[in-house]
Structures are given as structure tokens and as C-alpha cells.
């Protein structure tokens, strides 16, 4: 029985941390139990929950891959015209995650085409693509705009939609 106010003594982990954890990591990570010790999982920047099995974030990096594994993603919609890293493409291939780039044909652009928004919304409204992650380079403006369109379809108030947008856009 432990007494109130007394901290339990931390025991060292019996196994070395995986290579992705030894890399320089952000200060905040999600701890999930895994056997006798815990491993840190780092969500991508601007990660957020839209609704059940529908998420948003910036472009995932290798440090984020263990966290993405916990989501059991089926689809990633990447809204940027920038080419993703080969590591991310390989990760999606290994995990059998469909990687969709509605803006792949466009040259570097700061805006989304109407076709890209419609294609993204169609996928977001189709549960066959879930669990699904919507991402752009920073997880702010393009992702926020598509999520805002989804919120409009869900009949959210304009003030609630803008508040959510501002929370991620800074």
C-alpha cells in the first residue's frame, strides 16, 4: 500500500529504446504501455481528432510512425503539392495505407483546387477509407480548410468552425 504524496520509485527499462525513440524528440509524447516498460509515441505536429477514426495533422515524420501504427490507418490524404518523403511512402506501403495526393498534378501552389477539396470530402464521407488521416505540410491552412468544409456539411455554426480553424492555424 502506498501512502499519499509518496512517489513510486522508477525502475529502469529492461530493454533498449527503439532507434526512433533515441533520436532527438519533442518534449511532449504520449505514453502507451508496452510490456514491462513504456515507449513514447509522438503524434505529428498539429495532430487532432476530427471525429471517430478521422484525424488531422502535419506531414508525418519517421519519429511519428510508431504513433501512427496505433491508429491502424487505412488512408492518408495529403493535401500538399510537395512530394512526401520516400520514408513516408515506404511506411505507407509497408503498412498497406492508401496514400492519396489530390494535388499531385499541380505545381507548387498555396491554394487547393475545387476538385481536390471535393475529392478529399468524398473520401472523408466514405467510411470505407477509415481510419483516415488528413494532412498537409504544416497541418494548418489546407487541412483546416478541408476540415472547415466538412464542418459546414455537418451543419456546424460558423463561429465554431472558425474557432477550430484558429486553434490549429495559430
Amino acid at each position: 500500500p502506498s501512502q499519499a504524496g509518496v512517489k513510486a520509485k522508477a525502475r529502469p527499462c529492461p530493454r533498449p529504446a527503439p532507434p526512433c525513440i533515441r533520436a532527438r524528440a519533442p518534449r511532449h509524447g504520449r505514453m502507451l504501455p508496452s510490456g514491462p516498460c513504456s515507449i513514447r509515441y509522438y503524434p505529428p505536429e498539429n495532430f487532432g481528432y476530427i471525429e471517430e477514426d478521422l484525424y488531422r495533422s502535419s506531414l508525418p515524420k519517421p519519429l511519428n510512425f510508431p504513433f501512427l501504427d496505433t491508429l491502424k490507418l487505412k488512408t492518408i490524404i495529403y493535401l500538399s503539392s510537395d512530394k512526401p518523403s520516400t520514408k513516408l511512402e515506404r511506411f505507407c506501403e509497408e503498412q498497406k495505407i492508401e496514400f492519396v495526393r489530390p494535388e499531385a498534378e499541380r505545381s507548387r501552389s498555396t491554394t487547393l483546387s475545387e476538385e481536390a477539396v471535393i475529392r478529399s470530402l468524398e473520401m472523408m464521407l466514405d467510411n470505407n477509407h477509415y481510419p483516415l488521416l488528413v494532412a498537409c505540410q504544416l497541418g494548418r491552412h489546407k487541412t483546416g480548410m478541408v476540415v472547415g468544409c466538412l464542418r459546414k456539411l455537418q451543419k456546424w455554426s460558423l463561429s465554431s468552425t472558425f474557432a477550430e480553424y484558429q486553434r490549429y492555424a495559430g
Side-chain angles (χ1 to χ4, degrees):
S2 64
Q3 297 175 341
V6 177
K7 292 185 178 178
K9 198 174 198 181
R11 292 191 308 243
C13 182
R15 57 192 159 125
C20 64
I21 304 303
R22 277 184 258 167
R24 190 163 179 242
R27 288 186 210 167
H28 306 290
R30 181 174 168 201
M31 297 291 284
L32 295 176
S34 177
C37 70
S38 296
I39 297 173
R40 286 189 180 263
Y41 291 90
Y42 296 98
E45 289 182 45
N46 269 333
F47 179 82
Y49 175 88
I50 299 171
E51 61 182 39
E52 186 177 350
D53 287 338
L54 182 57
Y55 310 96
R56 61 175 296 154
S57 78
S58 66
L59 183 65
K61 298 175 175 73
L63 179 65
N64 311 129
F65 295 168
F67 175 81
L68 294 181
D69 274 340
T70 67
L71 301 178
K72 307 290 186 219
L73 294 173
K74 268 193 193 175
T75 310
I76 294 177
I77 299 174
Y78 179 52
L79 299 171
S80 180
S81 57
D82 298 334
K83 186 163 174 30
S85 72
T86 54
K87 290 179 181 181
L88 178 60
E89 289 176 331
R90 193 175 322 119
F91 170 77
C92 289
E93 193 175 299
E94 289 169 359
Q95 301 300 316
K96 298 186 178 25
I97 298 171
E98 180 184 8
F99 192 82
V100 180
R101 294 179 61 203
E103 290 291 289
E105 302 82 35
R106 292 187 66 176
S107 61
R108 290 183 61 120
S109 175
T110 57
T111 61
L112 281 174
S113 67
E114 182 179 345
E115 297 81 28
V117 173
I118 292 170
R119 184 170 178 213
S120 300
L121 287 171
E122 287 172 345
M123 293 184 77
M124 292 167 70
L125 294 171
D126 182 355
N127 289 352
N128 292 321
H129 295 287
Y130 283 34
L132 184 147
L133 174 70
V134 182
C136 64
Q137 199 65 32
L138 298 175
R140 293 181 183 168
H141 304 298
K142 291 180 181 182
T143 299
M145 196 260 305
V146 170
V147 171
C149 290
L150 175 69
R151 298 307 192 197
K152 179 76 173 160
L153 291 172
Q154 293 174 326
K155 302 196 184 306
W156 275 35
S157 70
L158 201 53
S159 60
S160 295
T161 302
F162 280 141
E164 181 181 44
Y165 179 88
Q166 289 175 331
R167 189 169 43 249
Y168 290 96

